[in-house]
Amino acid sequence: MYCILVTGIPAAGKSTMAEAVSERLKLPVISKDTVKELLFDNVGFHSREEKVNLGIASMEIMYYVARQLMKTGQPFILENNFEYSSESGMKNLLEDYPYPVLTITLTGDYRVIYRRFLERESSPDRHRGHVVNDCYPEKKVNHLKPLKAKTISYEDFACGIEKRGFDAFRVGERQIKVDTTDFSKIDMEKLFSQIATWREEILHD
């Protein structure tokens, strides 16, 4: 039994990484953002406060599913932008179920990833519930396109990473940091080898 956390800064490629690790290791992924999207589509929100509450609910659902897997001794992956405020939730889980945890943290050149963040926010493939803050499903003006969402400055983007600890958060004794500035330069086989070595170590403890 063990748990792998895939975390890191916004737009660093956490979902893609989690799916790649899941496919190689044949493990289920519990993604907070996927849960949020289901809540956005089925519940919706009419204010920033309601959206935040759905985010909190999605975190609790993610932990609930994790707890059910832990009860039966199943390994799994949690994918989320874990931050300093997430520490208590993970510690509560691990107090009840002392799983070995590997934290895979995605980071890189903040400016490059900020440009990726802006591209993602304007992409038609991005779930609109993540982009807008006032209302989802969105109201259209004069039956035209949905209102364009505001974005944040690079300074606020970088400051948020530092203050919230997106690329500093870790749980457990082992952390692997992956630079995703350039996806083409990521050595996935090396990463899988590091994970395999960690699994062997914990299985023989």
Side-chain angles (χ1 to χ4, degrees):
M1 61 180 185
Y2 60 90
C3 172
I4 296 175
L5 305 186
V6 177
T7 186
I9 68 178
K14 294 182 292 294
S15 297
T16 301
M17 178 63 73
E19 288 301 325
V21 175
S22 169
E23 183 176 347
R24 174 61 71 95
L25 302 183
K26 307 303 180 187
L27 296 179
V29 177
I30 310 158
S31 167
K32 178 191 171 186
D33 272 1
T34 299
V35 175
K36 282 175 69 174
E37 289 167 13
L38 291 170
L39 292 176
F40 290 159
D41 290 338
N42 290 279
V43 179
F45 57 85
H46 297 89
S47 67
R48 173 65 179 170
E49 182 181 8
E50 289 185 5
K51 179 179 179 179
V52 169
N53 287 336
L54 290 182
I56 294 171
S58 66
M59 197 77 167
E60 292 302 317
I61 292 169
M62 183 183 73
Y63 285 145
Y64 170 78
V65 176
R67 186 174 292 274
Q68 297 310 303
L69 291 170
M70 286 174 157
K71 282 182 179 179
T72 55
Q74 303 299 312
F76 58 92
I77 299 167
L78 293 183
E79 184 261 309
N80 178 40
N81 55 336
F82 288 99
E83 53 186 292
Y84 292 138
S85 63
S86 309
E87 189 174 2
S88 60
M90 284 303 305
K91 284 188 173 180
N92 288 338
L93 277 178
L94 297 173
E95 284 176 2
D96 293 336
Y97 302 96
Y99 263 44
V101 180
L102 170 64
T103 303
I104 299 176
T105 303
L106 308 189
T107 186
D109 185 311
Y110 287 1
R111 289 193 177 276
V112 172
I113 297 178
Y114 172 68
R115 290 195 293 271
R116 192 187 303 161
F117 171 82
L118 295 181
E119 291 172 2
R120 185 184 70 176
E121 295 302 282
S122 62
S123 169
D125 297 328
R126 179 68 166 163
H127 192 290
R128 290 292 294 173
H130 294 300
V131 179
V132 298
N133 288 319
D134 55 351
C135 183
Y136 183 85
E138 293 171 278
K139 295 178 181 178
K140 294 185 178 180
V141 179
N142 297 326
H143 303 289
L144 298 177
K145 296 181 180 179
L147 294 172
K148 186 176 180 181
K150 295 180 180 179
T151 188
I152 64 173
S153 67
Y154 169 73
E155 289 73 22
D156 287 341
F157 178 79
C159 183
I161 293 170
E162 297 290 346
K163 285 188 175 180
R164 297 171 68 177
F166 286 134
D167 58 357
F169 178 91
R170 64 177 288 180
V171 172
E173 297 180 357
R174 184 69 188 277
Q175 180 183 43
I176 299 174
K177 286 201 170 187
V178 181
D179 187 328
T180 63
T181 304
D182 184 343
F183 288 123
S184 68
K185 294 182 178 180
I186 300 174
D187 188 340
M188 290 301 295
E189 290 306 317
K190 178 182 177 181
L191 175 61
F192 291 141
S193 177
Q194 290 174 305
I195 296 172
T197 298
W198 173 76
R199 287 202 302 175
E200 286 298 316
E201 290 173 355
I202 63 172
L203 291 174
H204 289 90
D205 276 351

